[in-house]
Amino acid sequence: MDTCVTIERDGNIAVVTIDNPPVNALSFRMRGPLHDALAELDGDASIQAIVLACAGRTFVSGADISEFGTEVALAKPTLLDLCAQLENLFKPAIAAIHGSALGGGLELALACHYRVADDAAKVGFPEVKLGLIPGSGGTVRLPRLTGPEKAVELIVSGAPVGAQKALDLGMIDAVANGDLVASAKALARSKATETDHPPVRVRNDLLTGTDLTAFDAAASALTKKSRGLEAPLAAVAAVRNAITLPFDEALVAERATFLKLVAGDQSRAQRHLFFAEREAGKVAGIGKDTLIRTVRKVGVIGAGLMGGGIAMAFANGGFEVVLLDMSDAAIERGFATIEKTYASSVARGSLSEDDCARRLKRFSTSTDYAVLADCDLIIEAVFEDMAVKHDVFAKLDSVAKQGAILATNTSYLDVNEIAAATSRPSDVLGLHFFSPANVMKLLEIVRTDQTSPELIATALDVARKIGKVSVVVGVCHGFVGNRMLTARGNQIEPLLLEGATPQQVDRVLTEFGFPMGPFAMLDMAGLDIGWRKRKALGQRNLIADALAEDGHYGQKTGRGYYRYEEGSRTPLPDAEVARLIDETARENGIERREISDQEILERTLYPLVNEGARILEEGIAARASDIDIVWINGYGFSIGKGGPMFWAGLEGLGKIVERLEYWHQKTGETVFEPAPLLRRLAAEGGSFTG
Ligand code: NAD
């Protein structure tokens, strides 16, 4: 027998131990030997109960994701077969869970008659995060143990629960104190003498009499924010089947749904993102032996919108923070916003009063750069102006201790140029947070020509500690995210002039999957920002500038591309804006026409992909999947579409090139000129993401 499954006999109890490093995944090489071991023990009259345990750091942690979509995944015995085998044993099986039992691992445990977990164990069904539902009985067995409402909550959220909670919910039968396998054996001994061992499949008490109306209401509340994702809805349907259908029928329906989802684009996209996030941590020139500098105290310069959020992100992560601004008034304003944000989290119940107090205690404030002398990491979030940044970095160079990391949160400026204001450019990098910085997951780590590998390794480590998803990028105007956003936005004004409305453009992009359309977003950020920037650069956007000149600054003035009623953030169509667009078009000799939704998609999203290709060509991003991570975590690109570069593959690179060429010819705009990489991949029939 393969050594990845072993049997140890102890009187009338047998312990089957799975040892399939690193995480005891349910790969094909393990399933066969497990099946054989169970069959052998079932036929062994001297054995009266079986403990199923795992070696190494965890119980069966889940399916082998690399097998998904391949023939090996379906090779017998499948997990479904193993679950049926466990359930039909002549003797009880007891799962002994340590580490985590997730997905297929939990399904295996639920097919056992009983479950014991050590107190640090975690159990759950993360499948929805990969665009799937449990496919081997999870949605049919779990409701029989927890009741359907709890089950649907667990499966739709995808979040694991700890052992004690699992015990309270009925998912497991005991929490082990001390030796897990010894506890499982003790339970096995007590059950071995009992004649009746009902498997989970026959336990219907918690299903009978379910109020379906209440179930449906609870389930629809859970899926309200699923934004076009299929898996959460499929999970609800599967648990509902567990209530309304006999066990075997519900099992067949669950399997059919799983197989459909696993072959579908959404799950492929979500699996791509799962691997993309892991890949993003691998950075050229950074290895396990790259030194990571110690970071305890963090200085944040600028107590404005970004500085406040960044300071909170670090305080939330347990770091000591000193917040600096130019005047006491600016500090007071900034700190009051921080206190207000924490207070509203406490009021909402998402933060305890104790935690709030602990976080606030980590802050100190000052207007004197000298206080930054003992900071390990200093991040500036002052005005977006090269002269101001230069001034700040020159000051930092004189006060910061040797070895301190100096970071800029600039959105667009050249970080090489900022670093040149210091005598230590290898200690300078960009840490580009997104607004609100205490909430948004994304962090672009901007590597200059001279940033030392130690800095990058430390930034990756610190980012992880404050719960950010980070991507290392190179220096260019706007880095990866904002540079591509600019390309996406290039055509929105021409689209208005040629016949579209703000509401049509926003509808098309929200229907595509963005949480907000570009015009609603501009109204939220403030139209005055872009207007001032363009004025400084001697540029002009006909409609945007006319609106700003007329006091349409967006939500803050109650009028932007939309109008807003007092105290409301709901964008309403504005007849005055429609008139302005009409007039501007007429004055500029543009004949307005009907614009199709497809045209809007092509003129906004194809340039987005094209700019991504240029970014790859220039080496600003190391891989296409890094770009997808940026757009998923920073710009709300739909998870079910996998990010712009993955989506480009679904759309067809050939089609994208063809349409870009068409629009390039028509408009002469460089955003439409297909990037050589895009052309080459399209010609080869390839994709960006393999
Ligand atoms: P903000 O105007 O809200 O805040 C800037 C703060 O910096 C103000 O409180 C100001 O008093 C202070 N300040 C200016 N000069 C200073 C100096 N020399 N020393 C100390 N304090 C000084 O601006 P913001 O929106 O927070 O943007 C800050 C930076 O973050 C900019 O570089 C911006 O491009 C970047 N950024 C902004 C966003 C965003 O969504 N707003 C997102 C990512 C990055």
Side-chain angles (χ1 to χ4, degrees):
M1 185 191 289
D2 190 315
T3 50
C4 74
V5 176
T6 51
I7 298 174
E8 187 204 336
R9 290 176 165 79
D10 180 0
N12 62 348
I13 307 295
V15 179
V16 174
T17 303
I18 297 168
D19 187 6
N20 185 28
V23 291
N24 291 316
L26 278 157
S27 40
F28 177 65
R29 77 178 279 271
M30 176 271 249
R31 297 197 303 265
L34 177 59
H35 181 273
D36 294 346
L38 292 173
E40 178 187 327
L41 293 170
D42 204 25
D44 184 339
S46 70
I47 295 300
Q48 287 179 303
I50 300 168
V51 170
L52 181 61
C54 286
R57 60 178 143 108
T58 178
F59 189 75
V60 174
S61 63
D64 185 341
I65 299 176
S66 64
E67 282 185 4
F68 278 9
T70 68
E71 276 179 22
V72 183
L74 303 177
K76 286 190 162 293
T78 60
L79 173 58
L80 205 60
D81 298 329
L82 288 171
C83 289
Q85 187 189 15
L86 278 164
E87 208 157 46
N88 292 319
L89 290 172
F90 290 110
K91 45 205 83 177
I94 295 94
I97 302 168
H98 75 293
S100 31
L102 301 176
L106 180 56
E107 291 185 299
L108 194 71
L110 294 184
C112 292
H113 301 77
Y114 306 100
R115 285 146 296 282
V116 185
D118 82 13
D119 55 5
K122 284 194 169 13
V123 298
F125 283 124
E127 280 84 346
V128 283
K129 296 185 177 167
L130 297 177
L132 300 169
I133 63 167
S136 297
T139 66
V140 193
R141 290 193 182 90
L142 187 63
R144 289 176 153 77
L145 293 174
T146 64
E149 283 190 22
K150 285 283 171 235
V152 80
E153 203 178 307
L154 286 161
I155 298 171
V156 169
S157 83
V161 294
Q164 191 55 51
K165 178 94 190 278
L167 181 68
D168 297 343
L169 288 171
M171 297 168 80
I172 62 172
D173 302 279
V175 176
N177 293 317
D179 187 331
L180 171 67
V181 174
S183 298
K185 277 162 115 180
L187 184 69
R189 261 183 219 107
S190 74
K191 299 293 181 189
T193 51
E194 291 175 8
T195 46
D196 191 22
H197 314 291
V200 174
R201 62 177 286 144
V202 302
R203 302 187 208 168
N204 292 329
D205 307 1
L206 295 176
L207 297 182
T208 38
T210 299
D211 176 349
L212 275 177
T213 315
F215 173 84
D216 289 341
S220 82
L222 289 171
T223 53
K224 212 169 55 197
K225 289 196 178 146
S226 55
R227 289 210 289 133
L229 292 179
E230 295 161 9
L233 298 174
V236 168
V239 175
R240 201 176 196 283
N241 283 342
I243 308 169
T244 58
L245 299 179
F247 182 90
D248 286 323
E249 282 177 40
L251 197 66
V252 168
E254 178 202 67
R255 188 72 185 160
T257 303
F258 171 83
L259 290 174
K260 189 169 139 255
L261 290 174
V262 89
D265 287 341
Q266 283 196 356
S267 175
R268 276 181 51 220
Q270 288 181 257
R271 271 142 48 205
H272 157 72
L273 292 171
F274 175 84
F275 289 113
E277 205 169 311
R278 287 188 181 179
E279 280 293 299
K282 297 180 192 153
V283 181
I286 314 291
K288 279 205 173 68
D289 28 318
T290 311
L291 194 83
I292 292 179
R293 296 189 192 168
T294 306
V295 176
R296 286 202 193 90
K297 187 166 179 184
V298 180
V300 179
I301 309 175
L305 175 71
M306 291 308 290
I310 294 168
M312 289 176 75
F314 280 96
N316 299 351
F319 291 86
E320 201 185 326
V321 179
V322 49
L323 186 60
L324 187 131
D325 208 302
M326 289 188 291
S327 66
D328 289 337
I331 288 281
E332 265 163 41
R333 217 175 20 248
F335 199 66
T337 306
I338 291 173
E339 284 179 315
K340 211 171 109 192
T341 310
Y342 279 137
S344 72
S345 300
V346 171
R348 261 203 325 272
S350 59
L351 181 69
S352 75
E353 298 221 1
D354 283 354
D355 280 339
C356 174
R358 253 192 297 277
R359 289 176 189 191
L360 282 170
K361 256 175 100 173
R362 295 184 185 128
F363 283 91
S364 59
T365 57
S366 180
T367 52
D368 181 2
Y369 275 69
V371 299
L372 300 172
D374 63 345
C375 288
D376 307 298
L377 165 64
I378 303 169
I379 306 167
E380 71 73 19
V382 304
F383 302 137
E384 183 79 342
D385 179 303
M386 187 54 95
V388 180
K389 306 271 189 205
H390 255 241
D391 181 46
V392 168
F393 273 79
K395 278 191 195 139
L396 285 184
D397 199 24
S398 66
V399 297
K401 67 181 180 186
Q402 276 312 307
I405 298 172
L406 311 181
T408 170
N409 181 50
T410 179
S411 308
Y412 290 94
L413 298 175
D414 181 340
V415 187
N416 279 309
E417 205 182 320
I418 293 175
T422 72
S423 61
R424 37 177 141 171
S426 62
D427 281 345
V428 177
L429 83 175
L431 290 181
H432 184 217
F433 288 83
F434 289 71
S435 178
N438 53 316
V439 177
M440 292 294 285
K441 284 259 169 217
L442 181 65
L443 177 66
E444 283 182 326
I445 298 176
V446 187
R447 186 179 203 166
T448 70
D449 298 344
Q450 297 191 53
T451 304
S452 89
E454 271 176 49
L455 246 70
I456 301 294
T458 309
L460 287 165
D461 183 59
V462 165
R464 194 179 40 76
K465 287 182 178 148
I466 59 169
K468 299 294 177 202
V469 176
S470 50
V471 175
V472 176
V473 302
V475 176
C476 64
H477 188 72
F479 317 117
V480 169
N482 282 345
R483 174 170 161 182
M484 289 172 69
L485 185 70
T486 305
R488 192 193 73 169
N490 176 280
Q491 290 290 298
I492 59 171
E493 173 134 324
L495 278 166
L496 291 189
L497 288 169
E498 289 169 41
T501 61
Q503 19 322 355
Q504 186 193 4
V505 174
D506 282 357
R507 177 184 52 74
V508 169
L509 286 169
T510 48
E511 278 174 9
F512 177 81
F514 285 102
M516 225 184 207
F519 291 111
M521 218 166 99
L522 284 166
D523 272 3
M524 195 176 74
L527 269 61
D528 50 326
I529 299 175
W531 174 48
R532 293 214 172 87
K533 209 159 102 186
R534 282 188 295 275
K535 262 208 297 205
L537 295 170
Q539 296 169 347
R540 187 154 176 82
N541 274 9
L542 294 177
I543 294 171
D545 292 349
L547 283 173
E549 277 153 15
D550 203 21
H552 284 241
Y553 286 1
Q555 283 189 16
K556 57 182 143 187
T557 55
R559 306 185 312 169
Y561 286 98
Y562 297 93
R563 63 184 181 84
Y564 299 84
E565 274 167 7
E566 186 73 34
S568 160
R569 289 171 182 221
T570 309
L572 302 168
D574 188 340
E576 205 183 300
V577 173
R579 211 168 28 247
L580 178 105
I581 296 171
D582 257 345
E583 273 167 22
T584 316
R586 216 176 13 256
E587 280 162 21
N588 288 275
I590 301 164
E591 196 171 331
R592 301 190 82 223
R593 61 186 165 88
E594 183 137 332
I595 305 265
S596 73
D597 291 358
Q598 178 61 24
E599 177 172 340
I600 292 172
L601 282 179
E602 290 181 6
R603 290 174 69 177
T604 53
L605 297 185
Y606 291 2
L608 179 76
V609 170
N610 199 30
E611 199 63 33
R614 290 180 183 156
I615 280 171
L616 281 175
E617 276 166 359
E618 293 167 24
I620 298 295
R623 31 183 118 71
S625 61
D626 284 1
I627 297 177
D628 287 339
I629 290 294
V630 166
W631 271 78
I632 293 288
N633 293 287
Y635 298 84
F637 201 97
S638 165
I639 288 170
K641 292 193 166 74
M645 307 317 275
F646 182 86
W647 172 76
L650 297 179
E651 187 77 349
L653 300 192
K655 175 179 163 195
I656 293 178
V657 168
E658 192 186 304
R659 297 304 292 165
L660 281 170
E661 276 169 347
Y662 170 83
W663 289 113
H664 187 223
Q665 222 168 30
K666 225 171 150 71
T667 66
E669 290 285 346
T670 51
V671 288
F672 291 125
E673 194 177 345
L677 175 66
L678 176 57
R679 270 191 203 285
R680 181 168 60 74
L681 287 172
E684 289 167 358
S687 73
F688 290 108
T689 53

